[in-house]
Amino acid sequence: MKKKSQNTVSMFENNIHIELEGYLREPSVDVQSDPMQWWNSRTTIYPNLSLTAKQYLCIPATSVPSERVFSTAGNIVNKKRTSLSPENVDMLLFLNKNYSI
């Protein structure tokens, strides 16, 4: 059974390698083009790479979430709580941003 799973992994790695080589041979696209549209049109050619690209292309290009975390950290670490350890600050920030009733 172990040999079969190793063969499956080896085949997957080979497919990824072939997709990557094909992608690297693609001509550069215009700066004004939509990357999501480009990947959607090539999903059948590069199925594994397109999944990864779509995952990273969906990340919003904004600093708002990080600014909110800094703002929350400023509310947690104040003059009366300056002796909090970094680990406790991390835990409090995590709880503040991820806990909901």
Side-chain angles (χ1 to χ4, degrees):
M1 185 72 181
K2 189 171 188 169
K3 187 155 184 116
K4 187 176 183 179
S5 72
Q6 287 176 340
N7 287 340
T8 304
V9 169
S10 178
M11 286 174 50
F12 180 72
E13 288 175 351
N14 189 38
N15 289 342
I16 295 290
H17 187 71
I18 291 168
E19 283 184 36
L20 187 58
E21 285 179 351
Y23 168 73
L24 292 174
R25 283 193 298 262
E26 287 273 349
S28 297
V29 294
D30 182 29
V31 177
Q32 300 298 322
S33 65
D34 181 6
M36 284 296 281
Q37 187 177 26
W38 190 90
W39 280 107
N40 281 333
S41 68
R42 286 166 177 78
T43 300
T44 56
I45 302 169
Y46 309 117
N48 298 301
L49 289 178
S50 67
L51 286 174
T52 304
K54 289 174 187 176
Q55 179 182 4
Y56 287 101
L57 289 173
C58 72
I59 297 172
T62 178
S63 63
V64 171
S66 61
E67 294 294 332
R68 285 186 183 143
V69 171
F70 283 121
S71 176
T72 302
N75 292 334
I76 291 173
V77 182
N78 55 35
K79 290 180 183 179
K80 293 182 179 180
R81 302 178 92 183
T82 57
S83 62
L84 284 171
S85 71
E87 294 82 18
N88 286 343
V89 172
D90 287 344
M91 283 190 283
L92 289 168
L93 279 170
F94 177 83
L95 290 172
N96 182 276
K97 290 299 177 188
N98 294 293
Y99 183 76
S100 62
I101 295 177

